[in-house]
Amino acid sequence: MDHLDPPFAVDLGIIIVSYNNSDLLRKCLKSIPDACPNLRYAVSVVDNASPDDSVEMVRGEFPKVQLTASNENLGFARANNLQMEMSTAEFVLLLNPDTEPYTGSLALLVDFMRQHPEAGVVGPKLLNTDGSIQLNGRLFPGVWREFLAVSGLRRFNIDGYNRKYQYGRADFDRTCEVDEVSGACLLIRRTAMEKVGVLDPIFFMFYEEIEYCWRVKKGGWKVFYVADALVTHHWMGSVKKSS
């Protein structure tokens, strides 16, 4: 996969799709500068017709952010695709509005990508609001795993279920290759995106990142979990606002 990189407008293009999430979105946007030391970056927010003051907040408090205010809720995939298709960045980051990247964390993800040209997608170590670990970097789902989850049988041995079917490991302090990473913070190499395309718009919300990582790996790239890059994810902060 040797290639000559074309000149890029910025190192990192950050895309945030938000719905009815003004307070969390504000915290997320405030955290980004410290997370990107020595990077040329641009931030785009796509608002999915929020009924709160999200659009006014971004316009008033973050004038450098490129804002797209949709008049309908496009869902996660279609809204991200609006900016993915226009991006001229070397790396494209899909970032949830209910996240707060730690200082230097997004730069660490970019550095990892540059040091590992085989990586098409990478994701960070996610932390819950209280600082506890939020498991990330999973195996692709299978029929048996989904049956155990939907039926509730996994609760009888959740640790064994996670090790064997969900994550394939118990150590989340180690960087490693995985099948897929959470869409809460998912970094894509532009050349991989040019090969496999954008998110599948058939998905409104959930599972789109799983299918995307599957396509990336099918295209000959690898997916990595980068344990040194830390991002707080206020779990389901976006979804709790609306069914």
Side-chain angles (χ1 to χ4, degrees):
M1 281 184 281
D2 292 335
H3 61 270
L4 294 176
D5 289 333
F8 296 103
V10 292
D11 303 310
L12 181 63
I14 301 170
I15 304 171
I16 303 172
V17 172
S18 184
Y19 174 77
N20 199 29
N21 243 331
S22 180
D23 291 340
L24 287 173
L25 177 59
R26 177 185 289 109
K27 292 178 181 179
C28 177
L29 291 171
K30 284 183 176 180
S31 71
I32 288 174
D34 287 342
C36 299
N38 303 315
L39 288 180
R40 299 173 303 151
Y41 68 91
V43 182
S44 301
V45 169
V46 181
D47 183 82
N48 266 334
S50 295
D52 67 3
D53 68 341
S54 293
V55 170
E56 292 76 12
M57 183 275 292
V58 173
R59 283 177 176 157
E61 299 180 27
F62 302 93
K64 293 184 179 179
V65 169
Q66 179 183 349
L67 175 65
T68 300
S70 175
N71 58 9
E72 64 174 313
N73 191 338
L74 301 172
F76 184 81
R78 288 174 61 200
N80 270 298
N81 288 348
L82 289 177
Q83 293 301 322
M84 291 175 73
E85 291 168 347
M86 295 190 298
S87 177
T88 56
E90 182 181 2
F91 302 99
V92 176
L93 180 73
L94 308 187
L95 187 66
N96 273 16
D98 57 359
T99 60
E100 290 182 70
Y102 276 44
T103 297
S105 60
L106 301 185
L108 280 172
L109 292 178
V110 169
D111 288 344
F112 183 91
M113 279 285 216
R114 287 174 171 164
Q115 293 167 19
H116 296 82
E118 73 278 17
V121 163
V122 301
K125 177 189 287 186
L126 296 176
L127 302 174
N128 293 307
T129 305
D130 64 3
S132 61
I133 191 166
Q134 187 179 115
L135 304 184
N136 190 22
R138 300 194 299 176
L139 301 169
F140 285 133
V143 174
W144 184 241
R145 185 183 104 181
E146 297 303 285
F147 169 75
L148 292 174
V150 173
S151 67
L153 291 173
R154 65 178 177 179
R155 71 180 184 273
F156 293 109
N157 186 2
I158 191 66
D159 290 337
Y161 170 85
N162 280 339
R163 282 195 302 272
K164 187 171 183 179
Y165 298 110
Q166 188 89 312
Y167 299 98
R169 69 196 195 282
D171 183 2
F172 293 87
D173 293 324
R174 178 178 60 88
T175 294
C176 61
E177 184 181 354
V178 296
D179 281 345
E180 51 102 352
V181 291
S182 169
C185 182
L186 187 148
L187 183 65
I188 307 166
R189 185 183 300 276
R190 179 179 177 79
T191 46
M193 186 177 74
E194 289 173 347
K195 183 173 182 179
V196 306
V198 295
L199 301 178
D200 190 333
I202 196 173
F203 297 99
F204 184 83
M205 192 170 189
F206 302 127
Y207 273 80
E208 59 280 300
E209 75 270 37
I210 298 174
E211 190 275 339
Y212 194 76
C213 288
W214 177 80
R215 262 191 287 145
V216 166
K217 295 193 76 166
K218 189 177 179 181
W221 306 85
K222 293 183 178 181
V223 177
F224 287 92
Y225 166 80
V226 182
D228 293 336
L230 304 179
V231 174
T232 295
H233 181 208
H234 303 291
W235 179 246
M236 300 293 278
S238 300
V239 180
K240 288 175 183 176
K241 292 286 185 125
S242 178
S243 172

